[in-house]
């Protein structure tokens, strides 16, 4: 088995997939707004893809077992994912009042296809990358490909800012993204298809997985992440709406703010990768989860463009650690024989709670009283932060690290992550000699 060859083709695949992501990820909701989406539609646009993607992903293990190949399943559904985005151009053929529904359908199909490919992809990659280098490798990969996505997203924002026909601009972007995804599928197909070992005694149903919540460390962990994301997606779909509709930011301003999150995330991924490898993924997940609770509340204090850039930069910093450690903990916990199944069950549960959160958010955005700053959306952001905090505090002692790691006091790690401890150490180095000399006198 030539791991370097597979990792090379995986990286090239990731390059084109990252361009697709840059052209689409931050622009699904803005595209929906151009098509006349209301709060209800925004909720559906974010909720339905999660629902169908999660439900069908639950069967991804059976699909892999049927084809007896993870790579065949990944390649097939990546091609379908790309083709769906290419079809975006057909939206121009529909009557104006029905375009938003056709768009919701296409985005739902696209997310469903890529969701089915996700579990076998993570499983295949976890067998391709050396187990003791998960944090280091995925942090490096995420950083490099993230910059590709960042550049693509900036180009997309600039393009949308200068093109007069915004609808045509979005169609061009999304259809081009589909072509990029088809190219990425070609390079995925060049990877080595490592054999999947299936042991009957390692097979367990989703119901059996749920029933073990009292004694299973992994099941508790899955429900922590899922409930946390439910609270996150209470507000997540509406930050874009808030910037474009209530603050009336241009597409270029919107792009700069959203990219500050991505840039910050990329810059700090290596730090989080090393920290997770050294101190454990659970420590990083719990700490970053706590800090993420306060991110939506920071939006309440100012509408200033530059302030929001800084806030999103802070968000990118803590989300980078959370997202990286969340996935790596699954690799630490699940054996090779159960990894595809565990990833599928994790993604299904997480996806269902995200679906519920986004669906609920659409209703809340219209029905919440404007208690904060005269804005329903700011009230929604505050509620999301409170719910996140409740989940973090409830689960703080419910799950634990599964591998041997270095011990570090949580308080010291928090001060380090916030940049306080390095400053204290620096101050001590400067002032301690002076303090000592004065005492000797």
């Amino acid at each position: 088995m030539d791991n370097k060859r597979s990792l090379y083709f995986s990286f090239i695949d990731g390059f084109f997939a990252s361009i697709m992501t840059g052209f689409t990820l931050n622009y699904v909701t803005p595209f929906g707004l151009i098509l006349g989406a209301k709060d209800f539609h925004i909720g559906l646009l974010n909720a339905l893809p999660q629902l169908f993607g999660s439900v069908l992903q639950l069967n991804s293990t059976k699909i892999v077992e049927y084809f007896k190949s993870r790579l065949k399943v990944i390649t097939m559904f990546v091609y379908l994912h790309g083709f769906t985005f290419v079809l975006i151009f057909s939206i121009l053929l529909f009557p104006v009042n029905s375009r938003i529904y056709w768009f919701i359908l296409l985005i739902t199909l696209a997310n469903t296809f890529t969701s089915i490919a996700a579990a076998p992809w993570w499983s295949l990659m976890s067998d391709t990358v050396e187990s003791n280098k998960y944090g280091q490798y995925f942090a490096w990969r995420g950083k490099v490909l993230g910059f590709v996505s960042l550049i693509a997203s900036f180009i997309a924002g600039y393009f949308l800012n200068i093109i007069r026909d915004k609808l045509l601009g979005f169609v061009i972007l999304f259809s081009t993204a589909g072509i990029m995804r088809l190219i990425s599928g070609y390079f995925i197909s060049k990877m080595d298809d490592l054999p999947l070992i299936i042991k009957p005694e390692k097979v367990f149903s989703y119901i059996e997985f749920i029933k073990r919540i009292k004694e299973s460390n992994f099941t508790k962990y899955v429900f922590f992440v899922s409930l946390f994301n439910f609270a996150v997606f209470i507000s997540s779909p509406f930050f874009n709406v808030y910037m474009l509709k209530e603050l009336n930011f241009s597409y270029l301003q919107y792009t700069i703010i959203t990219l500050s999150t991505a840039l910050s995330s990329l810059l700090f991924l290596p730090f989080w990768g090393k920290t997770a490898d050294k101190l454990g993924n659970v420590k990083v997940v719990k700490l970053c989860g706590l800090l993420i609770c306060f991110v939506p509340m920071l939006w309440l204090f100012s509408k200033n463009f530059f302030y929001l850039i800084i806030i999103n930069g802070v968000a990118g910093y803590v989300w980078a650690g959370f997202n990286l450690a969340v996935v790596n903990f699954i690799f630490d916990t699940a054996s090779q024989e159960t990894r595809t199944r565990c990833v599928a069950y994790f993604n299904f549960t997480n996806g269902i709670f995200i679906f519920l959160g986004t669906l609920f958010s659409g209703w809340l955005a219209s029905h919440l009283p404007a208690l904060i700053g005269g804005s329903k959306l700011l009230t929604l952001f505050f509620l999301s932060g409170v719910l996140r905090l409740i989940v973090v505090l409830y689960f703080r002692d419910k799950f634990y690290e599964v591998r041997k790691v270095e011990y570090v006091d949580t308080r010291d790690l928090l001060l380090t992550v916030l940049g306080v401890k390095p400053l204290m150490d620096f101050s001590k180095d400067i002032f301690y000699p002076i303090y000592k000399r004065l005492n000797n006198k």
Side-chain angles (χ1 to χ4, degrees):
M1 180 184 70
D2 186 359
N3 282 13
K4 290 183 179 180
R5 178 182 177 278
S6 275
L7 291 176
Y8 168 77
F9 284 118
S10 173
F11 180 80
I12 301 301
D13 142 55
F15 177 84
F16 288 99
S18 296
I19 296 175
M20 183 219 69
T21 301
F23 281 178
T24 59
L25 182 62
N26 293 320
Y27 301 103
V28 171
T29 296
F31 195 174
L33 293 174
I34 287 293
L35 295 173
K38 307 300 181 185
D39 288 344
F40 171 72
H41 298 119
I42 296 299
L44 288 181
L45 188 56
N46 287 274
L48 289 182
Q50 288 295 335
L51 174 63
F52 286 95
S54 301
V55 171
L56 290 179
Q57 187 171 165
L58 189 60
N59 295 310
S60 61
T61 304
K62 294 180 180 178
I63 297 173
V64 170
E65 292 173 357
Y66 175 80
F67 284 98
K68 296 181 174 60
S69 167
R70 286 175 289 186
L71 189 61
K72 286 181 181 178
V73 172
I74 296 166
T75 304
M76 176 171 59
F77 284 98
V78 164
Y79 278 138
L80 288 171
H81 182 221
F83 182 68
T84 307
F85 271 107
V86 172
L87 279 177
I88 290 288
F89 79 89
S90 65
I91 210 166
L92 298 174
L93 305 177
F94 285 79
V96 174
N97 60 351
S98 64
R99 286 175 177 174
I100 182 61
Y101 297 103
W102 179 239
F103 182 60
I104 291 172
L105 174 62
L106 288 176
I107 294 300
T108 299
L109 285 174
N111 191 73
T112 299
F113 293 143
T114 194
S115 293
I116 295 173
W121 184 86
W122 279 111
S123 175
L124 183 63
M125 288 298 293
S126 68
D127 288 342
T128 305
V129 179
E130 295 179 38
S131 60
N132 63 334
K133 294 183 179 179
Y134 285 154
Q136 179 183 347
Y137 175 78
F138 286 110
W140 170 82
R141 190 180 194 276
K143 179 180 179 180
V144 176
L145 297 182
F147 271 112
V148 175
S149 180
L150 187 75
I151 294 170
S153 188
F154 182 80
I155 292 172
Y158 179 75
F159 173 70
L160 290 171
N161 201 59
I162 62 173
I163 192 169
R164 291 185 177 181
D165 190 334
K166 303 301 182 188
L167 175 59
L168 180 62
F170 277 110
V171 169
I172 292 172
L173 272 182
F174 277 59
S175 297
T176 304
I179 295 172
M180 295 297 104
R181 189 54 165 160
L182 292 174
I183 296 173
S184 85
Y186 169 77
F187 285 104
I188 281 181
S189 69
K190 296 294 183 181
M191 292 179 64
D192 291 325
D193 192 8
L194 305 181
L196 179 64
I197 302 172
I198 301 174
K199 295 181 179 180
E201 66 273 16
K202 296 287 187 178
V203 176
F204 53 94
S205 69
Y206 184 73
I207 298 300
E208 291 172 325
F209 167 75
I210 296 296
K211 286 181 177 178
R212 299 191 66 240
I213 190 168
K214 289 184 178 180
E215 66 270 13
S216 171
N217 183 50
F218 180 66
T219 305
K220 292 174 185 175
Y221 169 78
V222 169
F223 274 91
F224 160 71
V225 177
S226 300
L227 285 167
F228 186 78
N229 276 325
F230 169 83
V232 167
F233 278 82
I234 286 291
S235 62
S236 183
F238 287 94
F239 286 101
N240 299 338
V241 177
Y242 178 68
M243 287 186 281
L244 293 172
K245 289 296 184 181
E246 292 200 12
L247 300 185
N248 294 312
F249 285 157
S250 68
Y251 283 113
L252 188 58
Q253 288 177 303
Y254 164 79
T255 300
I256 292 172
I257 292 175
T258 55
L259 291 192
S260 66
T261 307
L263 180 60
S264 174
S265 177
L266 296 175
L267 291 175
F268 289 102
L269 261 178
F271 164 76
W272 289 118
K274 292 176 182 178
T275 302
D277 283 343
K278 185 178 181 181
L279 304 179
N281 291 300
V282 168
K283 183 75 73 173
V284 173
V285 165
K286 290 181 178 180
L287 178 60
C288 290
L290 177 63
L291 296 176
I292 288 169
C293 297
F294 301 100
V295 169
M297 298 179 184
L298 295 175
W299 284 71
L300 311 182
F301 298 106
S302 175
K303 299 177 181 180
N304 181 269
F305 171 67
F306 296 102
Y307 171 80
L308 295 181
I309 291 176
I310 296 172
I311 293 309
N312 265 28
V314 173
Y317 172 53
V318 290
W319 271 111
F322 186 85
N323 289 332
L324 180 69
V326 158
V327 174
N328 287 348
F329 182 75
I330 301 174
F331 296 161
D332 289 341
T333 308
S335 63
Q336 195 271 351
E337 299 90 347
T338 64
R339 200 165 286 147
T340 302
R341 190 175 300 274
C342 285
V343 172
Y345 289 172
F346 169 85
N347 286 340
F348 169 73
T349 310
N350 190 43
I352 288 297
F353 277 93
I354 290 176
F355 160 72
L356 294 173
T358 51
L359 192 64
F360 194 32
S361 72
W363 184 86
L364 286 173
S366 301
H367 293 82
L368 273 178
L371 298 177
I372 299 176
S375 168
K376 293 182 179 181
L377 295 185
L378 288 179
T379 306
L380 187 66
F381 298 166
F382 177 77
L383 175 63
S384 176
V386 172
L387 291 176
R388 298 178 197 192
L389 188 59
I390 291 172
V391 173
V392 169
L393 294 178
Y394 177 78
F395 279 93
R396 66 185 184 277
D397 297 319
K398 300 294 184 184
F399 58 94
Y400 53 84
E401 189 64 58
V402 296
R403 60 183 172 88
K404 189 175 181 180
V405 295
E406 291 185 24
Y407 172 78
V408 62
D409 183 74
T410 302
R411 177 179 173 275
D412 287 343
L413 179 58
L414 176 62
L415 292 176
T416 299
V417 167
L418 293 176
V420 177
K421 193 172 188 300
L423 185 62
M424 290 170 61
D425 292 341
F426 179 67
S427 301
K428 189 186 296 182
D429 290 340
I430 294 177
F431 294 111
Y432 180 72
I434 301 173
Y435 171 79
K436 187 176 181 180
R437 185 177 299 175
L438 290 174
N439 273 353
N440 289 339
K441 290 181 178 180

